[in-house]
Amino acid sequence: QGVWGEIVLERILEISGLKEGREYTLQGSDLSLTNSDGNKIKPDVIINLPDDKHLIIDSKVTLLPFEKWINLDPASPEKEAAFKAFTNAVKQHVSDLSEKHYQSSSGLRSPDFVFLFLPIEAALVSLHEKDSSLFTSAWQRKIVIVGPTTLLPTLKTVESIWKNERQNINALEIA
């Protein structure tokens, strides 16, 4: 499921119009970063912005408890426990992700937050409906939880910024 989530993320990157190796870098690259704690870090995706700035996206979330919750009968006594397990898995990932301190890497100039990508929109909506405080607590830890419909407009905005940047560079060269 983790690989599937990364495939969904890559597909969204492609749809956004961003080009791999130019506007973004995937985890498999030879990029080696170290955070302020001296630990090696490897974000799933680094979005490049003009002026050598970056956005970080991580997509490692276990969706097995969510799948179990969806497949259980609504009257099942296990249903609520399955959703709680899913919520706890997301909370744990938020905690783990915040402890990586991607923003403190000397090789990155990033805003003070990281995107946590959930590849299933229904999972994101269910979390918001049942435990909206999770999003506030994630934000307090510098994590923004996003799904496909919230990440795509963000990436399209980045693509637009790059388009304007290239036009400005071309105009300067012509002038």
Side-chain angles (χ1 to χ4, degrees), residues 7-175:
I7 290 169
V8 172
L9 178 55
E10 286 180 44
R11 182 71 183 123
I12 291 170
L13 286 161
E14 290 170 9
I15 291 169
S16 75
L18 298 175
K19 303 289 183 230
E20 183 179 358
R22 187 173 71 180
E23 286 98 11
Y24 70 91
T25 306
L26 295 174
Q27 180 182 26
S29 72
D30 58 353
L31 187 63
S32 179
L33 300 169
T34 306
N35 65 15
S36 60
D37 298 332
N39 298 321
K40 288 205 179 276
I41 53 174
K42 259 200 152 164
D44 289 334
V45 177
I46 299 172
I47 304 294
N48 300 316
L49 300 170
D51 299 324
D52 289 326
K53 295 180 181 166
H54 309 92
L55 293 174
I56 308 302
I57 305 172
D58 188 275
S59 67
K60 292 182 189 87
V61 173
T62 178
L63 295 172
L64 290 173
F66 178 75
E67 181 183 0
K68 181 178 180 181
W69 176 71
I70 288 294
N71 291 325
L72 282 170
D73 182 278
S76 172
E78 297 173 33
K79 187 130 177 122
E80 196 58 38
F83 192 80
K84 186 164 179 60
F86 171 59
T87 303
N88 288 340
V90 173
K91 286 178 181 178
Q92 184 61 52
H93 191 61
V94 166
S95 176
D96 293 345
L97 192 54
S98 71
E99 291 173 11
K100 290 183 180 182
H101 304 290
Y102 284 135
Q103 311 91 309
S104 71
S105 170
S106 59
L108 297 174
R109 290 179 51 212
S110 171
D112 201 21
F113 62 85
V114 173
F115 289 112
L116 170 56
F117 177 69
L118 287 176
I120 299 176
E121 199 68 40
L124 184 73
V125 171
S126 296
L127 278 173
H128 197 274
E129 287 175 352
K130 290 191 160 281
D131 188 4
S132 62
S133 67
L134 181 101
F135 293 83
T136 304
S137 64
W139 176 249
Q140 290 169 343
R141 298 189 81 151
K142 312 291 189 206
I143 308 297
V144 178
I145 303 172
V146 296
T149 59
T150 49
L151 183 59
L152 184 58
T154 302
L155 296 177
K156 289 298 277 180
T157 301
V158 170
E159 193 268 337
S160 179
I161 291 168
W162 273 114
K163 184 177 180 181
N164 289 338
E165 178 75 7
R166 286 189 289 276
Q167 287 173 345
N168 290 340
I169 290 170
N170 288 340
L172 286 172
E173 287 177 6
I174 291 170

